[in-house]
Amino acid sequence: MSTNEPQATTGPAERPVGRETERRTERAAERAAERAAETPASRPVPALTLLPTPGDPAPERADAARNRRKILDAAARIVAEEGPGAVTMNQVAHASGIGVGTVYRRFGDVSQLLWALLDDRERRFQEAYLSGPPPLGPGAPAARRLDAFLDAYVDRVVEQGPILLAAQSAAPTARYTNGAYLATHAHVTLLVAEARPDANAPLLTHLLLAPFSPSLIHHLTEERHLSADEVKAGMRQLLHGDAPLDPHGTHGAHETR
């Protein structure tokens, strides 16, 4: 098995976000922010449509879509069990039951495969908060949806932490201009605007999302040994000022410095 394949840290350089996708995403986020600023507290916030993410796949034949799903699922299992540095095209081919030539034709190299894995997870996350069941999806009050979104966002950053951390290390400021962040910012801006109609919703959203930096979540969970539930409880206390840091209702379980 080859050990000389490209690793995840080359992802942003290998696969720049297309300017057209970035412009479409920026326009969608700007329109969402404008709608949020104009939405009265008594009027329900309009639902967003699924926003573009980098690398959205073109329409596929059913068999090609199945192969793509198998490859991405196999890559996700390897990342979860061994980390992104352990992913090779041969491993993914073996784990998915798809020929290695097909894996290379679909994704090119390991870095592109890992970015496609992030895009795939982001698309599923968007579908959940834009059209899934409440409280994460539509149908619950804005404040409840915001709590549910932040809980889900913690889970996503923890789950995808190694890949997200590699991407952040390669391009520290790229997080704020990529399609995934712009889509998240647009959605949270709408929720904040409904819950706090007197606030500068776009600014508050940036500040609210800042603690979800992959490097900070990695520090809290891997180096300070906090659980995802403790991070969620801390976010609720930061947001509401009335939740205990310990999700089970006791104080002092951990001390962070």
Side-chain angles (χ1 to χ4, degrees):
M1 182 179 297
S2 172
T3 60
N4 297 321
E5 298 186 10
Q7 300 301 310
T9 54
T10 62
E14 296 280 349
R15 188 171 184 257
V17 177
R19 286 299 305 159
E20 180 58 28
T21 295
E22 187 173 324
R23 283 194 295 268
R24 287 191 293 117
T25 308
E26 288 173 349
R27 288 196 296 269
E30 289 169 359
R31 288 195 298 270
E34 290 170 359
R35 290 196 303 271
E38 297 170 355
T39 302
S42 59
R43 185 186 308 164
V45 170
L48 289 171
T49 55
L50 190 65
L51 298 176
T53 60
D56 281 343
E60 298 176 299
R61 300 189 318 271
D63 58 339
R66 284 194 298 271
N67 286 345
R68 176 184 173 85
R69 177 82 273 132
K70 289 179 181 178
I71 292 168
L72 291 175
D73 286 347
R77 288 195 300 272
I78 295 170
V79 169
E81 294 169 3
E82 304 178 54
V87 175
T88 69
M89 302 299 260
N90 284 337
Q91 273 186 309
V92 171
H94 177 74
S96 65
I98 304 295
V100 67
T102 300
V103 176
Y104 272 105
R105 283 194 298 273
R106 291 303 306 266
F107 296 99
D109 58 29
V110 168
S111 64
Q112 293 184 59
L113 173 57
L114 291 176
W115 278 103
L117 182 59
L118 281 176
D119 290 346
D120 180 67
R121 293 297 185 266
E122 174 60 26
R123 218 168 355 258
R124 291 184 178 187
F125 185 47
Q126 284 189 19
E127 289 171 352
Y129 68 70
L130 292 176
S131 58
L136 181 59
R144 181 70 186 93
R145 290 191 70 193
L146 186 57
D147 282 341
F149 178 87
L150 295 179
D151 282 355
Y153 205 35
V154 169
D155 289 334
R156 178 178 177 272
V157 177
V158 170
E159 177 189 358
Q160 301 294 307
I163 306 177
L164 291 169
L165 189 61
Q168 183 188 50
S169 299
T173 62
R175 174 189 181 209
Y176 305 106
T177 57
N178 70 34
Y181 182 85
L182 292 173
T184 295
H185 183 272
H187 174 67
V188 175
T189 295
L190 291 176
L191 299 180
V192 171
E194 184 182 10
R196 295 280 303 276
D198 58 334
N200 182 339
L203 173 60
L204 287 188
T205 297
H206 280 302
L207 298 176
L208 191 59
L209 295 177
F212 292 94
S213 164
S215 58
L216 177 58
I217 297 297
H218 174 83
H219 170 72
L220 293 176
T221 58
E222 298 299 323
E223 298 174 11
R224 302 303 305 174
H225 307 295
L226 294 175
S227 68
D229 284 343
E230 288 171 307
V231 175
K232 293 174 188 179
M235 283 301 304
R236 285 192 293 274
Q237 186 178 52
L238 186 64
L239 185 61
H240 302 296
D242 59 357
L245 284 176
D246 184 339
H248 303 295
T250 60
H251 295 275
H254 291 274
E255 179 184 357
T256 57
R257 294 189 178 93

